[in-house]
């Protein structure tokens, strides 16, 4: 009869063996299964990514992530309090922070489970390549918008505007080259922004991120002291506790205030690169916006060379410089990015990712599934209202 075994010599202690022996297979690791509860941060060896020493370390990751949150978007929070009032605005900020924490946790959890190395990768795993392209465009617009906001603020503070005197005018007097806002922005972009954007690894920004967080804390302390002194002296009125419904303009502001507030919380596209650096999975994780542009433009080619990355950096900075000199104020940027890219990256995509991947394996608890649906519905409604409010405001803006 036919057999899959061959006879061995009689002297052998084993008389039969398979003709086509199968290789031994390791059992699947627990962290590769969708149905297992995972900690958000695994050790590098346990995650299967390599030596733990290759990562950036927790302090650097904390500062990089904090800078992603406490960036230009923090300038959007005063507008929130101005429109919603002190009490309602504070409650809204807290609720938005809770929703952001939930969406980031969902994003990290499903990125680990699907072994995705970037925001676009986990979007593609859950929703397909067309949605990945949309998400990458959103990342580029959001990052570019934030840099435009930074440059507008720097130009207004240093050179002044029609409403206030600049720092250079106060120190050096008016009439000099420092009065030219475009020139000041160009100098800042070339001397400070270009070297930072040319770094290869996001971990290289750890020290500058720590300095940024420290400066943000100083800014909050100084602003609070100034406001408190003026309030005691009676130079400013008592702030409202709730929103103002007394005019059409105030109601229009209510439509766009939530999208504006979103700018202060969107850091989701930076979470995965920072996580990769922390785990040592990719020792040369490119700085986020640049990585996204490279993967979008050169999708079918190998990872970009240093020369290609520098060329992309130069092109992006040139576009950002033009935007910062042509856009009149930061609120135009905040309204547009908040109502479109901010809502999409911060809430719509994370909710869709969680709900779609949860269909394969029931990972989410019932409560988490309800929260995901609620977050998706609220984000879509806020996005639509924000876009409608922005369009109406632009059409009825006085010339």
């Amino acid at each position: 009869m036919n057999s899959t075994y061959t006879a061995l010599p009689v002297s052998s202690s084993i008389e039969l063996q398979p003709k086509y022996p199968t290789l031994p297979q390791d059992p699947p690791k627990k962290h590769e299964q969708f149905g297992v509860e995972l900690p958000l941060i695994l050790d590098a060896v346990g995650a299967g990514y390599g030596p733990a020493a290759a990562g950036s370390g927790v302090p650097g990751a904390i500062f990089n992530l904090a800078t992603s949150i406490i960036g230009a978007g923090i300038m959007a929070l005063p507008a929130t309090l101005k429109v919603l009032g002190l009490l309602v605005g504070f409650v809204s900020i807290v609720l938005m922070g809770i929703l952001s924490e939930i969406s980031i946790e969902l994003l990290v959890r499903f990125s680990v489970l699907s072994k995705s190395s970037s925001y676009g990768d986990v979007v593609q795993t859950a929703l397909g390549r067309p949605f990945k392209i949309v998400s990458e465009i959103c990342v580029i617009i959001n990052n570019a918008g934030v840099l435009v906001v930074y440059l507008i603020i720097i130009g207004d503070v240093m050179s002044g505007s029609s409403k206030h005197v600049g720092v250079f005018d106060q120190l050096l007097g008016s009439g000099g080259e420092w009065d030219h806002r475009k020139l000041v922005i160009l100098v800042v972009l070339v001397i400070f922004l270009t070297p930072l954007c040319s770094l290869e690894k996001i971990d290289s920004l750890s020290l500058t991120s720590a300095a940024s967080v420290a400066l943000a804390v100083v800014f909050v302390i100084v602003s609070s002291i100034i406001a408190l002194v003026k309030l005691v002296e009676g130079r400013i009125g008592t702030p409202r506790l709730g929103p103002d419904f007394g005019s059409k303009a105030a109601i229009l502001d209510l439509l766009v205030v939530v999208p504006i507030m979103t700018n202060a919380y969107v850091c989701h596209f930076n979470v995965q690169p920072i996580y990769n650096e922390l785990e040592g999975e990719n020792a040369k994780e490119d700085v986020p916006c640049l990585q996204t542009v490279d993967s979008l433009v050169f999708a079918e080619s190998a990872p970009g060379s240093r020369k290609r990355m520098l060329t992309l950096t130069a092109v992006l900075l040139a576009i950002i410089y033009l935007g910062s000199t042509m856009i009149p104020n930061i609120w135009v940027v905040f309204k547009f990015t908040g109502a479109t890219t901010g809502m999409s990256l911060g809430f719509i995509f994370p909710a869709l990712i969680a709900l779609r991947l949860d269909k394969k394996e029931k990972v989410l608890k019932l409560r988490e599934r309800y929260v995901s649906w609620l977050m998706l519905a609220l984000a879509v409604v806020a996005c639509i209202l924000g876009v409608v409010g922005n369009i109406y405001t632009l059409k009825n803006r006085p010339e």
Side-chain angles (χ1 to χ4, degrees), residues 68-123:
S68 300
I69 303 172
I70 312 174
I74 198 174
M75 299 298 177
L77 297 182
T80 301
L81 297 177
K82 178 182 178 181
V83 174
L84 296 178
L86 189 60
L87 180 59
V88 178
F90 176 77
V91 173
S92 300
I93 290 173
V94 173
L95 291 178
M96 183 69 76
I98 294 174
L99 286 177
S100 297
E101 192 276 334
I102 294 173
S103 65
I104 291 174
E105 182 176 349
L106 291 174
L107 184 65
V108 174
R109 183 193 304 180
F110 284 99
S111 295
V112 173
L113 290 174
S114 61
K115 299 185 181 300
S116 301
S117 60
S118 68
Y119 192 100
D121 286 344
V122 69
V123 171

Side-chain angles (χ1 to χ4, degrees), residues 163-179:
K163 296 182 179 180
H164 68 275
V165 179
V167 174
F168 285 151
D169 287 341
Q170 296 179 18
L171 297 177
L172 305 175
S174 60
E177 296 295 331
W178 49 85
D179 281 340

Side-chain angles (χ1 to χ4, degrees), residues 247-257 388-390 392-393 396:
S247 64
K248 181 189 294 186
I251 295 176
L252 286 176
D253 288 339
L254 289 174
L255 295 179
V256 299
V257 67
V388 171
N390 287 335
Y392 187 86
T393 301
N396 294 272

Side-chain angles (χ1 to χ4, degrees), residues 46-63:
Y49 295 146
S56 66
V58 174
I62 291 175
F63 284 124

Side-chain angles (χ1 to χ4, degrees), residues 191-263:
I191 295 179
F192 297 101
L193 195 56
T194 300
L196 293 176
C197 292
S198 301
L199 296 174
E200 290 188 79
K201 296 171 55 181
I202 195 171
D203 179 44
S204 304
L205 296 173
S206 299
L207 292 178
T208 55
S209 296
S212 299
V213 173
L215 289 175
V217 172
V218 172
F219 169 78
V220 171
I221 294 175
V222 172
S223 300
S224 301
I225 293 175
I226 293 175
L228 183 61
V229 170
K230 288 187 175 182
L231 185 62
V232 171
E233 295 177 350
R235 297 166 59 185
I236 57 175
T238 303
R240 289 183 291 104
L241 296 181
D244 179 19
F245 299 99
S247 64
K248 181 189 294 186
I251 295 176
L252 286 176
D253 288 339
L254 289 174
L255 295 179
V256 299
V257 67
V258 174
I260 288 178
M261 186 168 50
T262 305
N263 291 281

